Amino acid sequence: MIGRLMTMTAHAGRGGELAAVLLEVAERLHGFPGCEIYVISQDAADPDTVRVTEVWRDDASAQAALAAPPTPDGPTPADVLALLSTAPHRTDLTVLGGVGLPADGRP
């Protein structure tokens, strides 16, 4: 399994909008093959900072999700990017296990 921690900073005062759009993305991923965890969080000290915690069965599953066409009524990558004041920061993770993962979280 692989993980990603995405940190995004919205334009001043637009963190709630960014979180709402990312929650729509998360809803679209519900049941997507290989998506184990996709959690949206807003920084308690800085609400314009939004983080996405992802766990995928493998990199191919994560790439398939990125390549999937947006739903007609759902947000597009451009919708997310328009809300950002800076480029998102991605941290790649090796998932070792934990609560909420299938089986023991190991590949």
Side-chain angles (χ1 to χ4, degrees):
M1 286 191 179
I2 66 160
R4 293 187 179 141
L5 177 61
M6 298 294 296
T7 301
M8 301 178 203
T9 304
H11 292 288
R14 299 191 71 189
E17 289 177 68
L18 177 59
V21 168
L22 291 170
L23 285 167
E24 288 183 53
V25 171
E27 185 60 33
R28 181 180 70 85
L29 290 172
H30 184 76
F32 194 92
C35 183
E36 305 297 345
I37 294 175
Y38 198 89
V39 176
I40 311 305
S41 304
Q42 207 165 2
D43 190 307
D46 177 10
D48 288 330
T49 299
V50 179
R51 291 186 177 84
V52 181
T53 305
E54 307 175 41
V55 175
W56 296 91
R57 183 175 311 125
D58 51 37
D59 190 58
S61 299
Q63 294 305 317
L66 287 172
T71 58
D73 59 342
T76 67
D79 295 328
V80 173
L81 293 174
L83 292 167
L84 301 181
S85 65
T86 61
H89 180 265
R90 176 175 140 179
T91 302
D92 292 317
L93 308 168
T94 300
V95 177
L96 302 176
V99 176
L101 296 173
D104 64 0
R106 296 183 187 162

PDB file of all heavy atoms in Angstrom, residues 14-45:
ATOM      1  N   ARG A  14     -10.574  31.390   1.905  1.00  0.00           N
ATOM      2  CA  ARG A  14     -11.282  30.449   1.027  1.00  0.00           C
ATOM      3  C   ARG A  14     -11.016  28.985   1.380  1.00  0.00           C
ATOM      4  O   ARG A  14     -11.333  28.080   0.618  1.00  0.00           O
ATOM      5  CB  ARG A  14     -10.913  30.730  -0.423  1.00  0.00           C
ATOM      6  CG  ARG A  14     -11.321  32.167  -0.811  1.00  0.00           C
ATOM      7  CD  ARG A  14     -11.244  32.447  -2.251  1.00  0.00           C
ATOM      8  NE  ARG A  14     -12.292  31.762  -2.982  1.00  0.00           N
ATOM      9  CZ  ARG A  14     -12.339  31.720  -4.317  1.00  0.00           C
ATOM     10  NH1 ARG A  14     -11.411  32.313  -5.032  1.00  0.00           N
ATOM     11  NH2 ARG A  14     -13.317  31.071  -4.923  1.00  0.00           N
ATOM     12  N   GLY A  15     -10.461  28.749   2.578  1.00  0.00           N
ATOM     13  CA  GLY A  15     -10.183  27.376   3.007  1.00  0.00           C
ATOM     14  C   GLY A  15     -11.435  26.524   3.098  1.00  0.00           C
ATOM     15  O   GLY A  15     -11.413  25.342   2.764  1.00  0.00           O
ATOM     16  N   GLY A  16     -12.534  27.112   3.538  1.00  0.00           N
ATOM     17  CA  GLY A  16     -13.793  26.369   3.615  1.00  0.00           C
ATOM     18  C   GLY A  16     -14.276  25.925   2.246  1.00  0.00           C
ATOM     19  O   GLY A  16     -14.772  24.806   2.083  1.00  0.00           O
ATOM     20  N   GLU A  17     -14.124  26.792   1.248  1.00  0.00           N
ATOM     21  CA  GLU A  17     -14.503  26.439  -0.124  1.00  0.00           C
ATOM     22  C   GLU A  17     -13.628  25.301  -0.645  1.00  0.00           C
ATOM     23  O   GLU A  17     -14.124  24.366  -1.276  1.00  0.00           O
ATOM     24  CB  GLU A  17     -14.348  27.631  -1.062  1.00  0.00           C
ATOM     25  CG  GLU A  17     -15.349  28.736  -0.874  1.00  0.00           C
ATOM     26  CD  GLU A  17     -15.043  29.893  -1.813  1.00  0.00           C
ATOM     27  OE1 GLU A  17     -15.193  29.722  -3.053  1.00  0.00           O
ATOM     28  OE2 GLU A  17     -14.621  30.949  -1.305  1.00  0.00           O
ATOM     29  N   LEU A  18     -12.320  25.415  -0.378  1.00  0.00           N
ATOM     30  CA  LEU A  18     -11.398  24.364  -0.811  1.00  0.00           C
ATOM     31  C   LEU A  18     -11.765  23.036  -0.165  1.00  0.00           C
ATOM     32  O   LEU A  18     -11.843  22.004  -0.835  1.00  0.00           O
ATOM     33  CB  LEU A  18      -9.955  24.751  -0.475  1.00  0.00           C
ATOM     34  CG  LEU A  18      -8.879  23.711  -0.798  1.00  0.00           C
ATOM     35  CD1 LEU A  18      -8.881  23.351  -2.278  1.00  0.00           C
ATOM     36  CD2 LEU A  18      -7.512  24.214  -0.350  1.00  0.00           C
ATOM     37  N   ALA A  19     -12.016  23.055   1.129  1.00  0.00           N
ATOM     38  CA  ALA A  19     -12.395  21.820   1.829  1.00  0.00           C
ATOM     39  C   ALA A  19     -13.676  21.240   1.241  1.00  0.00           C
ATOM     40  O   ALA A  19     -13.790  20.025   1.049  1.00  0.00           O
ATOM     41  CB  ALA A  19     -12.556  22.098   3.320  1.00  0.00           C
ATOM     42  N   ALA A  20     -14.650  22.100   0.936  1.00  0.00           N
ATOM     43  CA  ALA A  20     -15.927  21.625   0.379  1.00  0.00           C
ATOM     44  C   ALA A  20     -15.718  20.955  -0.981  1.00  0.00           C
ATOM     45  O   ALA A  20     -16.304  19.898  -1.258  1.00  0.00           O
ATOM     46  CB  ALA A  20     -16.912  22.784   0.275  1.00  0.00           C
ATOM     47  N   VAL A  21     -14.888  21.547  -1.831  1.00  0.00           N
ATOM     48  CA  VAL A  21     -14.624  20.956  -3.143  1.00  0.00           C
ATOM     49  C   VAL A  21     -13.912  19.617  -2.979  1.00  0.00           C
ATOM     50  O   VAL A  21     -14.250  18.631  -3.644  1.00  0.00           O
ATOM     51  CB  VAL A  21     -13.803  21.929  -4.027  1.00  0.00           C
ATOM     52  CG1 VAL A  21     -13.263  21.228  -5.267  1.00  0.00           C
ATOM     53  CG2 VAL A  21     -14.653  23.130  -4.422  1.00  0.00           C
ATOM     54  N   LEU A  22     -12.947  19.557  -2.069  1.00  0.00           N
ATOM     55  CA  LEU A  22     -12.222  18.302  -1.856  1.00  0.00           C
ATOM     56  C   LEU A  22     -13.122  17.233  -1.241  1.00  0.00           C
ATOM     57  O   LEU A  22     -12.945  16.040  -1.521  1.00  0.00           O
ATOM     58  CB  LEU A  22     -10.984  18.552  -0.997  1.00  0.00           C
ATOM     59  CG  LEU A  22      -9.895  19.357  -1.707  1.00  0.00           C
ATOM     60  CD1 LEU A  22      -8.817  19.784  -0.723  1.00  0.00           C
ATOM     61  CD2 LEU A  22      -9.301  18.575  -2.867  1.00  0.00           C
ATOM     62  N   LEU A  23     -14.085  17.625  -0.442  1.00  0.00           N
ATOM     63  CA  LEU A  23     -15.057  16.656   0.080  1.00  0.00           C
ATOM     64  C   LEU A  23     -15.911  16.085  -1.056  1.00  0.00           C
ATOM     65  O   LEU A  23     -16.283  14.907  -1.019  1.00  0.00           O
ATOM     66  CB  LEU A  23     -15.931  17.290   1.160  1.00  0.00           C
ATOM     67  CG  LEU A  23     -15.230  17.480   2.505  1.00  0.00           C
ATOM     68  CD1 LEU A  23     -16.050  18.400   3.412  1.00  0.00           C
ATOM     69  CD2 LEU A  23     -14.975  16.135   3.182  1.00  0.00           C
ATOM     70  N   GLU A  24     -16.192  16.894  -2.069  1.00  0.00           N
ATOM     71  CA  GLU A  24     -16.905  16.383  -3.250  1.00  0.00           C
ATOM     72  C   GLU A  24     -16.039  15.367  -3.991  1.00  0.00           C
ATOM     73  O   GLU A  24     -16.545  14.347  -4.457  1.00  0.00           O
ATOM     74  CB  GLU A  24     -17.289  17.525  -4.190  1.00  0.00           C
ATOM     75  CG  GLU A  24     -18.406  18.399  -3.685  1.00  0.00           C
ATOM     76  CD  GLU A  24     -18.782  19.460  -4.714  1.00  0.00           C
ATOM     77  OE1 GLU A  24     -19.054  19.092  -5.881  1.00  0.00           O
ATOM     78  OE2 GLU A  24     -18.785  20.647  -4.351  1.00  0.00           O
ATOM     79  N   VAL A  25     -14.751  15.659  -4.101  1.00  0.00           N
ATOM     80  CA  VAL A  25     -13.823  14.712  -4.725  1.00  0.00           C
ATOM     81  C   VAL A  25     -13.833  13.406  -3.932  1.00  0.00           C
ATOM     82  O   VAL A  25     -13.900  12.316  -4.502  1.00  0.00           O
ATOM     83  CB  VAL A  25     -12.392  15.292  -4.805  1.00  0.00           C
ATOM     84  CG1 VAL A  25     -11.392  14.232  -5.259  1.00  0.00           C
ATOM     85  CG2 VAL A  25     -12.356  16.510  -5.725  1.00  0.00           C
ATOM     86  N   ALA A  26     -13.778  13.518  -2.610  1.00  0.00           N
ATOM     87  CA  ALA A  26     -13.783  12.319  -1.752  1.00  0.00           C
ATOM     88  C   ALA A  26     -15.051  11.501  -1.967  1.00  0.00           C
ATOM     89  O   ALA A  26     -14.993  10.265  -2.019  1.00  0.00           O
ATOM     90  CB  ALA A  26     -13.649  12.727  -0.286  1.00  0.00           C
ATOM     91  N   GLU A  27     -16.173  12.164  -2.119  1.00  0.00           N
ATOM     92  CA  GLU A  27     -17.445  11.449  -2.346  1.00  0.00           C
ATOM     93  C   GLU A  27     -17.381  10.669  -3.658  1.00  0.00           C
ATOM     94  O   GLU A  27     -17.843   9.542  -3.739  1.00  0.00           O
ATOM     95  CB  GLU A  27     -18.606  12.438  -2.361  1.00  0.00           C
ATOM     96  CG  GLU A  27     -19.947  11.782  -2.476  1.00  0.00           C
ATOM     97  CD  GLU A  27     -20.275  10.828  -1.335  1.00  0.00           C
ATOM     98  OE1 GLU A  27     -19.850  11.075  -0.191  1.00  0.00           O
ATOM     99  OE2 GLU A  27     -20.971   9.814  -1.588  1.00  0.00           O
ATOM    100  N   ARG A  28     -16.784  11.259  -4.684  1.00  0.00           N
ATOM    101  CA  ARG A  28     -16.648  10.580  -5.971  1.00  0.00           C
ATOM    102  C   ARG A  28     -15.751   9.350  -5.851  1.00  0.00           C
ATOM    103  O   ARG A  28     -15.927   8.366  -6.556  1.00  0.00           O
ATOM    104  CB  ARG A  28     -16.069  11.550  -7.006  1.00  0.00           C
ATOM    105  CG  ARG A  28     -15.919  10.951  -8.397  1.00  0.00           C
ATOM    106  CD  ARG A  28     -15.350  11.944  -9.381  1.00  0.00           C
ATOM    107  NE  ARG A  28     -13.960  12.266  -9.159  1.00  0.00           N
ATOM    108  CZ  ARG A  28     -12.925  11.559  -9.629  1.00  0.00           C
ATOM    109  NH1 ARG A  28     -13.128  10.465 -10.313  1.00  0.00           N
ATOM    110  NH2 ARG A  28     -11.692  11.949  -9.390  1.00  0.00           N
ATOM    111  N   LEU A  29     -14.784   9.401  -4.941  1.00  0.00           N
ATOM    112  CA  LEU A  29     -13.857   8.282  -4.766  1.00  0.00           C
ATOM    113  C   LEU A  29     -14.412   7.169  -3.882  1.00  0.00           C
ATOM    114  O   LEU A  29     -13.801   6.112  -3.776  1.00  0.00           O
ATOM    115  CB  LEU A  29     -12.530   8.789  -4.196  1.00  0.00           C
ATOM    116  CG  LEU A  29     -11.698   9.615  -5.169  1.00  0.00           C
ATOM    117  CD1 LEU A  29     -10.502  10.225  -4.450  1.00  0.00           C
ATOM    118  CD2 LEU A  29     -11.245   8.779  -6.355  1.00  0.00           C
ATOM    119  N   HIS A  30     -15.543   7.415  -3.247  1.00  0.00           N
ATOM    120  CA  HIS A  30     -16.147   6.381  -2.396  1.00  0.00           C
ATOM    121  C   HIS A  30     -16.404   5.134  -3.242  1.00  0.00           C
ATOM    122  O   HIS A  30     -17.113   5.179  -4.244  1.00  0.00           O
ATOM    123  CB  HIS A  30     -17.452   6.894  -1.784  1.00  0.00           C
ATOM    124  CG  HIS A  30     -18.068   5.933  -0.842  1.00  0.00           C
ATOM    125  ND1 HIS A  30     -17.586   5.738   0.432  1.00  0.00           N
ATOM    126  CD2 HIS A  30     -19.104   5.085  -0.987  1.00  0.00           C
ATOM    127  CE1 HIS A  30     -18.318   4.829   1.029  1.00  0.00           C
ATOM    128  NE2 HIS A  30     -19.242   4.409   0.189  1.00  0.00           N
ATOM    129  N   GLY A  31     -15.764   4.044  -2.879  1.00  0.00           N
ATOM    130  CA  GLY A  31     -15.919   2.790  -3.618  1.00  0.00           C
ATOM    131  C   GLY A  31     -15.020   2.680  -4.841  1.00  0.00           C
ATOM    132  O   GLY A  31     -15.088   1.686  -5.561  1.00  0.00           O
ATOM    133  N   PHE A  32     -14.170   3.677  -5.106  1.00  0.00           N
ATOM    134  CA  PHE A  32     -13.270   3.605  -6.254  1.00  0.00           C
ATOM    135  C   PHE A  32     -12.265   2.473  -6.009  1.00  0.00           C
ATOM    136  O   PHE A  32     -11.694   2.378  -4.921  1.00  0.00           O
ATOM    137  CB  PHE A  32     -12.533   4.940  -6.434  1.00  0.00           C
ATOM    138  CG  PHE A  32     -11.857   5.078  -7.764  1.00  0.00           C
ATOM    139  CD1 PHE A  32     -12.512   5.657  -8.835  1.00  0.00           C
ATOM    140  CD2 PHE A  32     -10.552   4.625  -7.955  1.00  0.00           C
ATOM    141  CE1 PHE A  32     -11.894   5.781 -10.068  1.00  0.00           C
ATOM    142  CE2 PHE A  32      -9.926   4.742  -9.178  1.00  0.00           C
ATOM    143  CZ  PHE A  32     -10.593   5.322 -10.246  1.00  0.00           C
ATOM    144  N   PRO A  33     -12.044   1.613  -7.001  1.00  0.00           N
ATOM    145  CA  PRO A  33     -11.128   0.487  -6.801  1.00  0.00           C
ATOM    146  C   PRO A  33      -9.739   0.941  -6.349  1.00  0.00           C
ATOM    147  O   PRO A  33      -9.128   1.812  -6.971  1.00  0.00           O
ATOM    148  CB  PRO A  33     -11.050  -0.163  -8.188  1.00  0.00           C
ATOM    149  CG  PRO A  33     -12.303   0.273  -8.886  1.00  0.00           C
ATOM    150  CD  PRO A  33     -12.617   1.642  -8.346  1.00  0.00           C
ATOM    151  N   GLY A  34      -9.280   0.371  -5.255  1.00  0.00           N
ATOM    152  CA  GLY A  34      -7.945   0.650  -4.748  1.00  0.00           C
ATOM    153  C   GLY A  34      -7.850   1.802  -3.773  1.00  0.00           C
ATOM    154  O   GLY A  34      -6.814   1.999  -3.152  1.00  0.00           O
ATOM    155  N   CYS A  35      -8.931   2.584  -3.623  1.00  0.00           N
ATOM    156  CA  CYS A  35      -8.911   3.700  -2.675  1.00  0.00           C
ATOM    157  C   CYS A  35      -9.321   3.176  -1.302  1.00  0.00           C
ATOM    158  O   CYS A  35     -10.461   2.798  -1.084  1.00  0.00           O
ATOM    159  CB  CYS A  35      -9.862   4.810  -3.117  1.00  0.00           C
ATOM    160  SG  CYS A  35      -9.826   6.254  -2.025  1.00  0.00           S
ATOM    161  N   GLU A  36      -8.372   3.137  -0.396  1.00  0.00           N
ATOM    162  CA  GLU A  36      -8.636   2.608   0.945  1.00  0.00           C
ATOM    163  C   GLU A  36      -9.036   3.714   1.915  1.00  0.00           C
ATOM    164  O   GLU A  36      -9.942   3.542   2.718  1.00  0.00           O
ATOM    165  CB  GLU A  36      -7.394   1.874   1.467  1.00  0.00           C
ATOM    166  CG  GLU A  36      -6.873   0.777   0.551  1.00  0.00           C
ATOM    167  CD  GLU A  36      -7.849  -0.371   0.337  1.00  0.00           C
ATOM    168  OE1 GLU A  36      -8.820  -0.506   1.092  1.00  0.00           O
ATOM    169  OE2 GLU A  36      -7.628  -1.145  -0.610  1.00  0.00           O
ATOM    170  N   ILE A  37      -8.353   4.848   1.849  1.00  0.00           N
ATOM    171  CA  ILE A  37      -8.644   5.980   2.743  1.00  0.00           C
ATOM    172  C   ILE A  37      -8.439   7.267   1.948  1.00  0.00           C
ATOM    173  O   ILE A  37      -7.454   7.412   1.221  1.00  0.00           O
ATOM    174  CB  ILE A  37      -7.721   5.975   3.983  1.00  0.00           C
ATOM    175  CG1 ILE A  37      -8.020   4.761   4.853  1.00  0.00           C
ATOM    176  CG2 ILE A  37      -7.859   7.269   4.778  1.00  0.00           C
ATOM    177  CD1 ILE A  37      -7.093   4.599   6.045  1.00  0.00           C
ATOM    178  N   TYR A  38      -9.376   8.197   2.086  1.00  0.00           N
ATOM    179  CA  TYR A  38      -9.263   9.518   1.473  1.00  0.00           C
ATOM    180  C   TYR A  38      -9.958  10.481   2.410  1.00  0.00           C
ATOM    181  O   TYR A  38     -11.178  10.583   2.434  1.00  0.00           O
ATOM    182  CB  TYR A  38      -9.925   9.518   0.087  1.00  0.00           C
ATOM    183  CG  TYR A  38      -9.498  10.669  -0.793  1.00  0.00           C
ATOM    184  CD1 TYR A  38      -8.390  10.560  -1.621  1.00  0.00           C
ATOM    185  CD2 TYR A  38     -10.208  11.864  -0.793  1.00  0.00           C
ATOM    186  CE1 TYR A  38      -7.988  11.608  -2.439  1.00  0.00           C
ATOM    187  CE2 TYR A  38      -9.819  12.913  -1.608  1.00  0.00           C
ATOM    188  CZ  TYR A  38      -8.721  12.777  -2.433  1.00  0.00           C
ATOM    189  OH  TYR A  38      -8.329  13.819  -3.241  1.00  0.00           O
ATOM    190  N   VAL A  39      -9.176  11.148   3.235  1.00  0.00           N
ATOM    191  CA  VAL A  39      -9.709  11.977   4.318  1.00  0.00           C
ATOM    192  C   VAL A  39      -9.320  13.433   4.092  1.00  0.00           C
ATOM    193  O   VAL A  39      -8.151  13.727   3.832  1.00  0.00           O
ATOM    194  CB  VAL A  39      -9.164  11.497   5.686  1.00  0.00           C
ATOM    195  CG1 VAL A  39      -9.623  12.404   6.808  1.00  0.00           C
ATOM    196  CG2 VAL A  39      -9.581  10.061   5.948  1.00  0.00           C
ATOM    197  N   ILE A  40     -10.296  14.312   4.207  1.00  0.00           N
ATOM    198  CA  ILE A  40     -10.071  15.746   4.072  1.00  0.00           C
ATOM    199  C   ILE A  40     -10.060  16.354   5.466  1.00  0.00           C
ATOM    200  O   ILE A  40     -10.969  16.104   6.268  1.00  0.00           O
ATOM    201  CB  ILE A  40     -11.194  16.413   3.244  1.00  0.00           C
ATOM    202  CG1 ILE A  40     -11.459  15.662   1.942  1.00  0.00           C
ATOM    203  CG2 ILE A  40     -10.895  17.891   3.015  1.00  0.00           C
ATOM    204  CD1 ILE A  40     -10.284  15.446   1.053  1.00  0.00           C
ATOM    205  N   SER A  41      -9.040  17.174   5.760  1.00  0.00           N
ATOM    206  CA  SER A  41      -8.919  17.817   7.074  1.00  0.00           C
ATOM    207  C   SER A  41      -8.549  19.280   6.884  1.00  0.00           C
ATOM    208  O   SER A  41      -7.771  19.616   5.992  1.00  0.00           O
ATOM    209  CB  SER A  41      -7.832  17.145   7.918  1.00  0.00           C
ATOM    210  OG  SER A  41      -8.072  15.767   8.063  1.00  0.00           O
ATOM    211  N   GLN A  42      -9.100  20.113   7.741  1.00  0.00           N
ATOM    212  CA  GLN A  42      -8.761  21.530   7.741  1.00  0.00           C
ATOM    213  C   GLN A  42      -7.915  21.798   8.974  1.00  0.00           C
ATOM    214  O   GLN A  42      -8.235  21.339  10.069  1.00  0.00           O
ATOM    215  CB  GLN A  42     -10.050  22.351   7.783  1.00  0.00           C
ATOM    216  CG  GLN A  42      -9.959  23.698   7.170  1.00  0.00           C
ATOM    217  CD  GLN A  42     -11.345  24.308   6.915  1.00  0.00           C
ATOM    218  OE1 GLN A  42     -12.371  23.726   7.239  1.00  0.00           O
ATOM    219  NE2 GLN A  42     -11.347  25.489   6.350  1.00  0.00           N
ATOM    220  N   ASP A  43      -6.818  22.523   8.798  1.00  0.00           N
ATOM    221  CA  ASP A  43      -5.915  22.837   9.895  1.00  0.00           C
ATOM    222  C   ASP A  43      -6.660  23.675  10.935  1.00  0.00           C
ATOM    223  O   ASP A  43      -7.233  24.717  10.607  1.00  0.00           O
ATOM    224  CB  ASP A  43      -4.701  23.593   9.349  1.00  0.00           C
ATOM    225  CG  ASP A  43      -3.587  23.750  10.352  1.00  0.00           C
ATOM    226  OD1 ASP A  43      -3.856  24.241  11.477  1.00  0.00           O
ATOM    227  OD2 ASP A  43      -2.443  23.413  10.013  1.00  0.00           O
ATOM    228  N   ALA A  44      -6.665  23.236  12.173  1.00  0.00           N
ATOM    229  CA  ALA A  44      -7.391  23.941  13.243  1.00  0.00           C
ATOM    230  C   ALA A  44      -6.814  25.331  13.500  1.00  0.00           C
ATOM    231  O   ALA A  44      -7.547  26.256  13.849  1.00  0.00           O
ATOM    232  CB  ALA A  44      -7.372  23.117  14.528  1.00  0.00           C
ATOM    233  N   ALA A  45      -5.511  25.502  13.313  1.00  0.00           N
ATOM    234  CA  ALA A  45      -4.869  26.792  13.569  1.00  0.00           C
ATOM    235  C   ALA A  45      -4.877  27.704  12.342  1.00  0.00           C
ATOM    236  O   ALA A  45      -4.731  28.917  12.474  1.00  0.00           O
ATOM    237  CB  ALA A  45      -3.431  26.582  14.036  1.00  0.00           C
TER     238      ALA A  45
END
